[in-house]
Amino acid sequence: MASIAAEALAARIKAAHHIVVLTGAGVSAESGVPTFRDRQTGLWAKYRPEDLATPEAFRRDPETVWRWYEWRRSILEEIKPNPGHFAIAELEALPREFALITQNVDGLHAVAGSRNIIELHGNIGRTICSVERCVVSSWTLAGSAPPKCPNCGAHLRPDVVWFGESLPERPFIEAQDHADRCDLFLSVGTSTVVQPAASLPFMAKRSGAFVVEINVDLTPLSHVADLVVREKSGFFLPSVLELLK
Ligand code: NAD
């Protein structure tokens, strides 16, 4: 039987004209992708992700940072989207204005069938030159990692936004525009602490949207959201979609 929260959200979705979904690492947790709040395993247990995903770490020790991303990519090769990703892709198919904004770099929303995805933090599947920022799709590794850009010889790096770096301008402007105009905003599996993405649900709330948080834990948004659902997104979202059929 559907929960009261699922029924409440389904009713909001039916009445909404413009729905925005913001996702974070929690939406991929049920697929087996570790969040940054999860304890690191194996080789990487002695590092904090916040100490590796930075431009300073890359300058200091590019090989370790590159190897960490190789490890994260190797995890992703085995991984599939979960029912939460598929439910979000189904929301996009409803006849309403819709935007999916993600902080995730894992590409799982696209695999699940989402089409218009605003990727705020890049995509781990892409590699760029650390100087020219152009996308590089093939390289040869001569000597130690990371490989070098075939054009200019600088180190290659993953096309992700590291802590302390600015977000790509256009996607964030687009995300702000949707947050400002929507009437229903779902914040799913994000700790709502990494700025500036964390500002989006608050902006939506200020602009009059009904804000829903779906997260297994308390976040800074919990006290502000109109509906807080303490359930796993991969369990809760499909139950809402069922009510829309
Ligand atoms: P985060 O790790 O800070 O927070 C994850 C949140 O998800 C937590 O609040 C946790 O309580 C919640 N959560 C965990 N499992 C859940 C579930 N099954 N259902 C609902 N909620 C669940 O992640 P963040 O807020 O996205 O920010 C951290 C940064 O880490 C971002 O910049 C992101 O780019 C990066 N990151 C991305 C990935 C990925 O692409 N999958 C993985 C790790 C980190």
Side-chain angles (χ1 to χ4, degrees):
M1 210 176 74
S3 65
I4 293 172
E7 283 178 6
L9 180 53
R12 288 280 167 183
I13 290 171
K14 282 180 191 158
H17 298 288
H18 182 173
I19 303 172
V20 172
V21 179
L22 170 70
T23 63
V27 86
S28 295
E30 288 159 84
S31 292
V33 186
T35 71
F36 276 3
R37 269 71 188 162
D38 285 335
R39 183 187 277 276
Q40 298 283 289
T41 51
L43 255 173
W44 300 102
K46 61 182 174 186
Y47 295 94
R48 290 184 341 136
E50 295 86 338
D51 296 337
L52 290 168
T54 67
E56 294 75 28
F58 191 66
R59 269 196 296 276
R60 202 172 46 237
D61 186 356
E63 178 159 11
T64 298
V65 173
W66 179 265
R67 297 268 180 234
W68 184 58
Y69 277 95
E70 273 186 336
W71 170 73
R72 290 186 64 199
R73 280 196 202 106
S74 73
I75 296 179
L76 286 173
E77 277 166 22
E78 318 279 314
I79 272 171
K80 294 188 172 47
N82 66 60
H85 294 105
F86 288 112
I88 292 168
E90 281 184 59
L91 276 181
E92 185 174 358
L94 296 174
R96 281 161 189 73
E97 187 167 1
F98 179 85
L100 170 59
I101 305 167
T102 189
Q103 299 166 83
N104 293 346
V105 296
D106 56 31
L108 288 176
H109 283 301
V111 180
S114 286
R115 288 287 154 258
N116 298 312
I117 308 166
I118 302 175
E119 288 182 328
L120 292 182
H121 293 169
N123 192 308
I124 202 172
R126 279 192 308 266
T127 297
I128 54 171
C129 169
S130 58
V131 172
E132 297 169 331
R133 316 294 286 196
C134 54
V135 175
V136 176
S137 46
S138 68
W139 57 82
T140 41
L141 182 58
S144 61
K148 305 272 173 29
C149 172
N151 300 325
C152 73
H155 282 140
L156 297 182
R157 57 165 281 181
D159 187 11
V160 298
V161 177
W162 283 330
F163 291 105
E165 291 186 317
S166 309
L167 263 54
E169 203 175 324
R170 203 158 353 116
F172 192 59
I173 289 174
E174 219 186 313
Q176 283 178 304
D177 173 57
H178 280 289
D180 193 35
R181 289 189 300 109
C182 70
D183 54 355
L184 179 60
F185 189 105
L186 313 188
S187 177
V188 188
T190 168
S191 54
T192 332
V193 293
V194 179
Q195 292 293 356
S199 66
L200 294 168
F202 295 92
M203 175 185 284
K205 176 75 185 164
R206 277 195 305 276
S207 301
F210 188 85
V211 175
V212 182
E213 174 175 79
I214 300 156
N215 195 309
V216 290
D217 232 330
L218 187 78
T219 79
L221 181 65
S222 304
H223 304 294
V224 174
D226 298 291
L227 175 65
V228 175
V229 182
R230 287 273 168 267
E231 283 185 44
K232 292 185 173 179
S233 50
F235 170 77
F236 179 71
L237 287 174
S239 74
V240 175
L241 265 293
E242 269 309 303
L243 295 170
L244 298 174
K245 286 178 181 158

